[in-house]
Amino acid sequence: MAYTRKDVSTLTAAEKRRFVSALLELKRRGEYDEFVRMHIDFYVSDGEDGLRTAHMAPSFLPWHRRFLLDLEDALRRIDPSVSVPYWDWTRERSAKSLPWSKDLLGGNGRSGDRQVTEGPFAHREGKWTLREGVTDAEYLTRDLGRAKDPIGLPTKDDVEWAMKDGTYDVSPWNSTSGGGFRNKLEGWGSGRGSVSWRNHNRVHRWVGGAMLGGASVNDPVFWLHHAFVDLLWLRWQQRHKEHRYLPDKPPAPGTAQHGRVVARHEKLPPWDLTPDQLEDTGGIYRYG
Ligand code: CU1
Ligand code: CU1
């Protein structure tokens, strides 16, 4: 039986408590930081050599789909009733709305050092010390909406702009791909400043603090954000039924993206799975 991932705004008090408890237990065991580490290790950008799997690549969506499932599996070993809720940032749009409540993820960082001081993930509670990808602060930081240089969350129109593109991805299959659903959703735009941060990327910017960069998994909102991104991919699949993951074949030897991206039937590291196998996960979970 498939389990359900719920809209965060519909969680009961008990569901919030159990989700938070499972995260804190995973952290206590040291397993949570392995997820942070893995995300850092797979943060390869266009400018670097080698295979890109998680970002700036067609496999951005299946990579995060499987990454979320790994986290969810770990949480469900602790508490089988738990699933990762999704944060629909086209609806819940303020620093006062969910998921930023004291009984869930806590709120904004305070001015000055941007430290999150309320809720279960506040450093003073003693259960959420950052250990991976930390430069100076070992406490969780946020700058919701970016106080000094305000930025808005993506809108329904921004999402629709990506959703209506029936092509999954286009060459050169990276952050400069001008069309294709994947990059319009991942959100590497052209130009400078905040206009260039779209959809998924823009949400990382809007949250700020720990959500910027490779160690963004340090903020548990990462999972709620990526559950919604995953739901958007599913909606896109349902809307464009005849359209599949691309590229369907590896870029030819001698071309710039040869060996840099994962084609539909190639293994997607670090898993023994292909994007093709990750296109349908409806037997594992549903969205409610
Ligand atoms: Cu990521
Ligand atoms: Cu992300």
Side-chain angles (χ1 to χ4, degrees):
M1 253 293 274
Y3 57 85
T4 302
R5 290 183 182 165
K6 294 184 179 161
D7 184 325
V8 71
S9 66
T10 68
L11 294 187
T12 65
E15 285 168 339
K16 288 180 202 166
R17 201 161 50 235
R18 298 184 80 143
F19 177 63
V20 167
S21 300
L23 280 171
L24 294 177
E25 175 59 14
L26 204 62
K27 178 78 169 169
R28 192 191 64 77
R29 296 179 183 182
E31 287 178 51
Y32 190 89
D33 291 319
E34 292 173 24
F35 286 93
V36 185
R37 183 79 250 157
M38 180 169 152
H39 192 263
I40 293 168
D41 290 346
F42 279 83
Y43 208 94
V44 176
S45 63
D46 289 348
E48 298 169 71
D49 291 331
L51 184 68
R52 300 185 311 280
T53 55
H55 308 97
M56 301 184 182
S59 51
F60 165 71
L61 290 166
W63 194 95
H64 286 84
R65 178 167 280 180
R66 189 58 246 179
F67 190 51
L68 235 77
L69 274 168
D70 283 1
L71 180 276
E72 203 164 47
D73 286 348
L75 294 177
R76 289 168 64 81
R77 282 194 289 274
I78 292 166
D79 181 345
S81 79
V82 166
S83 61
V84 176
Y86 64 91
W87 167 33
D88 180 346
W89 29 256
T90 69
R91 290 171 185 268
E92 303 288 339
R93 302 180 58 78
S94 99
K96 300 278 171 229
S97 60
L98 282 165
W100 314 112
S101 60
K102 275 188 213 173
D103 63 349
L104 197 59
L105 300 188
N108 201 358
R110 65 187 177 193
S111 59
D113 65 3
R114 308 311 322 179
Q115 180 173 172
V116 172
T117 58
E118 282 182 346
F121 305 96
H123 191 248
R124 66 164 69 123
E125 299 294 319
K127 293 175 178 164
W128 204 261
T129 298
L130 310 197
R131 301 186 200 284
E132 296 287 349
V134 181
T135 44
D136 38 278
E138 58 171 22
Y139 48 79
L140 184 59
T141 53
R142 288 179 189 139
D143 185 8
L144 303 183
R146 216 162 60 177
K148 290 211 177 83
D149 180 17
I151 183 175
L153 284 166
T155 63
K156 286 194 169 76
D157 285 350
D158 295 327
V159 170
E160 177 56 20
W161 166 76
M163 296 294 279
K164 70 182 180 210
D165 193 326
T167 305
Y168 178 82
D169 204 352
V170 299
S171 172
W173 320 109
N174 62 15
S175 72
T176 71
S177 292
F181 169 67
R182 186 276 308 169
N183 196 33
K184 286 180 176 176
L185 182 60
E186 187 178 4
W188 305 101
S190 52
R192 286 182 169 269
S194 61
V195 290
S196 67
W197 304 101
R198 303 220 160 107
N199 288 319
H200 154 267
N201 280 344
R202 196 176 186 87
V203 175
H204 279 271
R205 295 273 137 183
W206 186 87
V207 177
M211 271 284 271
L212 306 174
S216 49
V217 178
N218 274 318
D219 191 329
V221 79
F222 175 92
W223 307 104
L224 283 70
H225 172 35
H226 272 276
F228 186 55
V229 169
D230 187 69
L231 169 56
L232 292 176
W233 182 24
L234 183 65
R235 286 182 184 158
W236 180 88
Q237 291 177 301
Q238 288 165 348
R239 179 157 154 186
H240 305 280
K241 281 199 173 31
E242 69 285 19
H243 291 257
R244 306 263 330 257
Y245 179 96
L246 293 172
D248 54 348
K249 303 247 170 19
T255 61
Q257 293 299 319
H258 177 71
R260 308 291 313 277
V261 299
V262 176
R264 189 186 300 158
H265 299 285
E266 293 184 299
K267 290 278 153 64
L268 175 58
W271 300 285
D272 192 26
L273 288 166
T274 66
D276 176 73
Q277 292 170 302
L278 287 162
E279 280 189 296
D280 182 6
T281 40
I284 307 172
Y285 62 88
R286 306 268 159 106
Y287 286 97

